[in-house]
Amino acid sequence: MKTCLVVDDSRVIRKVARKILEELDFSCEEAADGQQALDACRQHMPDAVLLDWNMPIMNGLDFVKALRREERGDQPIVVFCTTENDMSHITEALRAGADEYVMKPFDGDIIQSKFEQTGLLRAS
């Protein structure tokens, strides 16, 4: 079973994302900020990270930069999931090492589509 780390400071968003991902046969872990997420990745590197941008302690952009410097940190597929929708934010996220970008609010179809595009899921 593939694993996904859901990183968002909103407990509600984490729970919604977890439900969607578990329906897509992912095992999920959760983190409330980038530092918790980095610590979790150091313990067990996930197959995917669903990542919020705006969080306390360490934001999503700083997290993805730090993740990519970790041993095996180049392996997880990182999908930003945020309300930041201007092209400069999207470009900055992709340059920092993100693989894809999803706008909030999201649903299961959007997550499934992005995970298929990145190769995490087979197209149905």
Side-chain angles (χ1 to χ4, degrees):
M1 180 177 280
K2 290 193 176 176
T3 59
C4 185
L5 179 61
V6 179
V7 188
D8 199 298
D9 56 329
S10 166
R11 186 174 170 278
V12 171
I13 296 292
R14 291 195 312 268
K15 296 299 177 197
V16 169
R18 175 187 277 268
K19 183 177 184 324
I20 290 168
L21 289 161
E22 287 175 345
E23 288 174 359
L24 296 172
D25 290 326
F26 278 81
S27 170
C28 293
E29 295 294 325
E30 297 178 24
D33 61 61
Q35 187 58 58
Q36 283 184 10
L38 194 57
D39 293 343
C41 289
R42 287 175 176 153
Q43 293 292 317
H44 175 76
M45 197 62 73
D47 296 303
V49 178
L50 190 62
L51 179 65
D52 186 25
W53 188 295
N54 297 308
M55 297 176 290
I57 303 173
M58 181 188 289
N59 68 31
L61 190 65
D62 290 340
F63 164 79
V64 77
K65 290 175 183 177
L67 172 69
R68 296 308 191 201
R69 290 190 300 265
E70 292 289 317
E71 184 177 338
R72 294 184 22 250
D74 59 335
Q75 295 176 352
I77 299 293
V78 177
V79 178
F80 261 102
C81 183
T82 182
T83 57
E84 301 292 348
N85 64 357
D86 60 271
M87 203 58 199
S88 65
H89 277 95
I90 295 169
T91 302
E92 189 175 11
L94 296 174
R95 283 191 182 141
D99 297 285
E100 258 307 338
Y101 209 92
V102 173
M103 298 306 304
K104 288 180 184 175
F106 58 86
D107 61 22
D109 291 340
I110 292 168
I111 299 296
Q112 181 174 347
S113 171
K114 292 295 182 177
F115 276 34
E116 286 171 356
Q117 288 173 24
T118 62
L120 283 165
L121 291 173
R122 283 199 171 127
S124 44

